[in-house]
Every structure is written in C-alpha cells, then in structure tokens.
Amino acid sequence: MQEKSTRTPNADRRAMMRKKLMDAARSLFVEKGFAATSTPEIVKSAQVTRGALYHHFEDKEDLFRAVVVAEAKELRQAIEVATKGMIDDPLGTGSKGYFEAMSIQGRAQLLLIDGPAVLGIQEMDQIDAGGGRAALRTGLATANSDLSDEELEAVTKVLSAGYDRAALAIAQGEAAKPYEQAMAALVRATIS
Amino acid sequence: MQEKSTRTPNADRRAMMRKKLMDAARSLFVEKGFAATSTPEIVKSAQVTRGALYHHFEDKEDLFRAVVVAEAKELRQAIEVATKGMIDDPLGTGSKGYFEAMSIQGRAQLLLIDGPAVLGIQEMDQIDAGGGRAALRTGLATANSDLSDEELEAVTKVLSAGYDRAALAIAQGEAAKPYEQAMAALVRATIS
DNA sequence: CTTGCATGCATACAGCCTGTATGTTTATGA
DNA sequence: TCATAAACATACAGGCTGTATGCATGCAAG
C-alpha cells in the first residue's frame, strides 16, 4: 500500500492555503485590528509559516485587502439573497437585508472602520462598488425622478453613511429597531 | 554680559515641546497615516529626539490621541464661533459652520478615518462629546418633540454620520453645494 | 546663593516585526 | 522520467517601538 498518496493539485492547494490564511487573518484583524496583528501571529494561528503567507500575498496589507474584498463579496451576496424577487418595497427589504448581513461578527469593523483606514476611502469605495449603495441609488432614482445626478449622488452617499453608522451601532449591541425606523423615515422623506 | 541667559520656565518648555511634537506628528499622520508614520520621522521633523517624545507621551498612540483631541477641540471652537448668537435656524447655520470647520486640511481624515481606527469608536465618540452631534440632537429635540429618547438618539447618530460623510466628500474635492442641500433636506424632513 | 531634588531631554539597548533572499519539496506536462 | 515551475520553509538584514540609563536644566527650601 502506498503511504504517500496525498497528491494534491496545485489549484486546490492554493485555494486551501489562501483560505486558511485569510480565515486566521480575519479573526485576528477583527480581534486586535490590522496594525496590532503581526504576521507571525497569523501564520501561527493558521499553522503554516510566513513563507506561505508571502508566497500568496504581496505583503500584510495585501492579505488584509483579500480579507476585505471577500467580506464585501459575502455582504453583496447576502443582500442579493435577501432582496431576491422583492419588487415591491425594494428599499425597505434592502434595508432589513443590509442590517442583517452587516450583523455578522466583525464585518462592520472590517468594512467600515479598518478598511477605510488601511486601504483608503477611494479603494474601499471601489471595493464596495455594486454593494448596497448602488441598490440604494437606483431605488432612490426610480422613486424620485426630479433629482439631478449630482444631487442623487450626494443623497445616496449621505443616506448610505447613515445605514453604515446604524449597522455599526447595531453591531456594537444597540437595539436595531430605532435605527431601522430612523432610516426608514429618512428614506421615505427623501423619495416623497 | 551673560551668554546663557536662555532661562525658560518648565511650564513653557513643556508647552512648546508638546506643540512642536504635535504639529510635526499631525502633518505626518495626515500625509501618511498613523501606521506608516514612524517616531524617528516625527522627531526628525520636529528637530528633537525620541527621548523628548517618550518623555511627554506614553507611546505613539498617546501622541496620536493628543493630536486628535486638539483637533476635536478646534473643531468645536470653530463651530461655536460660527453659530454664536444664531438663534434662528440654528440647524442650518450649524451645518454650514460644520462643513467649513471640517474643510481644514487633514481634519476629516484625522477625526473620521484614522481616529476611529486607531483609538476605537467608543473613545472617538467620547472625544467628540459636546461637538456637533450634541448641538444636532438638541436642535432636533426642540424642533420635534414627539420622538422617544431612543429614537432621537438613533436619528441624531444617523444624521450625524451623513454630515460626516458629506464633510469627507467635500474634503476630497467634491462640490459642497449638493451635500449641503441633501443634508438640509434630510434635516427638514426629520423635524417636520 | 547653594544645595538637594524633580523635571526635561538625549543616548543606548533589547526585542520584535516586516519583507526578501535562498533553499527544499511537491506538482506539472512533455 | 525528467526538466521546470509552483508551493512552501528557513535564514537574514534593516527598521521600529518602548525602556533603561545618564546628563542638563529649572525649582524651591533653607
């Protein structure tokens, strides 16, 4: 019998290793923040060596970027599932979906606090592209046509910031209902 | 004649040294971010040694905290001056004052991006206490009495986040007017 | 005024972290 | 099967942080 029959294709090894590193890194980034998390810690938690990390990622920031991008993707998918087929009241449904999706442990911290600080606002905006903000904009645009592009963009950003702040507060343990009501009222006021 | 007549009281030396360090640190923190700014860089820019830095501040984070606290204080004072005696339309005046005060180079980055990431949301909330948010809350409360405390708090935070996001966009070079209009509309909708 | 002490500041050092260079193993495909 | 490339591990150089130590300067009591 063959002892060493553990032949693993490169594609699989790559995917598994990246996942191991990103999972370990996510936990530590959420727990201690980006700066306070060292690469020795990460690889120890992932039970690999720093060689693996620097083979798959350019540097620590690049690993953080990968974690954030994956998180944003999961967020988009969760919202998409929650609002699937909801043609009536897309804004209300999207809101609830967003709050639920953002209640995942550490997600708000990663996407709203550490992400902008480490990667910059510009890149975070780009990573979030197609996320909740785009849906919000189209929702506002269809419900309220008499807004210039500039105004629509401004209102969208500002309301989106409100959603983010609400999600952050909820993630920190505050009650969700007042924030849901507040955002609903603001959106209603905007489109009417 | 006395050569070494440069006798400086300790209180003055302390104040001057702290200012020199905080000014140099502020520039570099704004330019490169907290993590990417090293203490050797800071003291070189301030033309002192690391000994002085670690004599006056516990560590790099403590220096950052001092910079942020001073920035928040200046912001409060600027808003206070702008809204002094404006009893009619305090919300509108406060809004304009806030946007102007937040347009100071690097202020939005320090208070809205790096601050929360380095010091945490909790501490930043505390540092901002008595800032624009408090004024906004009282403004909303007087104009709209039929809100529970919980709802008032939520609406305040969410609108305040909108103001912050708007200030950030303006600080990054976007036109101010659409944001002023957007926030004005939201506030108007909230209090009526 | 001077003398003991506290404060302000500079220098030196230890430990850690990051990123790279180099070496070794494992898969690929010809 | 064999050459090559990819995956991963180890070793190293440089820089940074925070602390310990030493000197200078202001302070306050006598």
Side-chain angles (χ1 to χ4, degrees), chain A residues 63-73 110-111 115 119 124 127:
Chain A
L63 170 57
F64 179 79
R65 191 188 334 271
V67 169
V68 166
V69 167
E71 199 74 25
K73 187 177 177 183
L110 281 174
L111 294 179
L119 304 175
M124 278 308 295
I127 291 175

Side-chain angles (χ1 to χ4, degrees), chain A residues 82-112:
Chain A
T83 61
K84 189 176 55 181
M86 299 286 178
I87 51 172
D88 55 325
D89 190 22
L91 257 29
T93 312
S95 166
K96 208 163 180 60
Y98 176 74
F99 284 137
E100 258 177 51
M102 279 300 268
S103 70
I104 298 289
Q105 162 72 12
R107 184 164 287 177
Q109 181 75 29
L110 281 174
L111 294 179
L112 304 181

Side-chain angles (χ1 to χ4, degrees), chain A residues 156-169:
Chain A
T156 302
K157 271 195 189 167
V158 154
L159 276 179
S160 172
Y163 275 116
D164 290 347
R165 189 66 180 82
L168 210 45

Side-chain angles (χ1 to χ4, degrees), chain A residues 132-141 147 149-163 190, chain B residues 165 179 182:
Chain A
R133 221 170 47 246
L136 179 59
R137 175 168 31 232
T138 59
L140 291 177
L147 278 176
D149 279 7
E150 228 182 6
E151 286 169 338
L152 176 63
E153 182 63 23
V155 173
T156 302
K157 271 195 189 167
V158 154
L159 276 179
S160 172
Y163 275 116
T190 304
Chain B
R165 189 68 180 80
Y179 288 101

